[in-house]
Amino acid sequence: MRSVTYSMNASLDGYIVGPDGSFDWTDPDEDLFRLATDEVRGAGVHLLGRRLYETMLYWEDAGQGRPLDGLQREFAAVWNALPKVVFSRTLSSVRGNARLASGTLGEEVARLRAEPGGGDIAIGGATLAAEAADHDLIDEYRVRVHPVLVGGGTPFFAHHARRVDLALIESRTINATFLYARYRVNRH
């Protein structure tokens, strides 16, 4: 069965965006960008909320009007080829290799898990990930920790009233600057 993964950049104090909504501190270096590209390459489908979808639209037109370096071209190619499901109450259409969700998050995940094919079911966006966590849909958390304290904002981990036991399955530093950690959800 396909795993549902949630992967984002986070500050050391656990936020994906700061209190002012900015995430300018998440600019990746070459190795961190390669890691993100490899994660996308390992996904079979990506579930996105509207805000992340709109942010990632940048890659649909990447290279038009300005040159991309080799890593950026590689990411754009991998990202644009990846099927995406967008959850939105306000969008009536989406572009590229994306479709609007036709069911609830739980229904979409169940359908995708039942489909043949490989690759993870990746979830992006804090609001969508919080809903997935509330419904116990996330199998693995992946966090790229940046060396910054932002003091508030949107948290990486959803705040809910239940305990979730995790097992560390990978951790490493990247360029002696970033910490990358993967945690598997322990279901008893």
Side-chain angles (χ1 to χ4, degrees), residues 11 13-23 25 126-127 149-159:
S11 63
D13 53 350
Y15 297 96
I16 62 170
V17 297
D20 61 355
S22 72
F23 52 94
W25 45 270
T127 303
L149 302 172
V150 297
T154 303
F156 175 87
F157 292 103
H159 297 285

Side-chain angles (χ1 to χ4, degrees), residues 78-121:
V78 172
W79 178 256
N80 290 333
L82 181 66
K84 295 166 224 36
V85 180
V86 180
F87 291 81
S88 173
R89 292 182 198 95
T90 58
L91 296 176
S92 58
S93 65
V94 291
R95 297 189 314 158
N97 197 10
R99 68 173 174 85
L100 287 169
S102 58
T104 66
L105 179 58
E107 291 167 343
E108 290 286 349
V109 168
R111 182 176 332 160
L112 292 166
R113 282 186 175 182
E115 287 178 357
D120 296 324
I121 300 168

Side-chain angles (χ1 to χ4, degrees), residues 17 23 28 30 38 41 86 93 95-96 104 125 138 161 166 168 180:
V17 297
F23 52 94
E30 183 175 314
D38 290 343
R41 187 178 284 110
V86 180
S93 65
R95 297 189 314 158
T104 66
I138 298 175
L166 305 171
L168 180 65
Y180 175 66

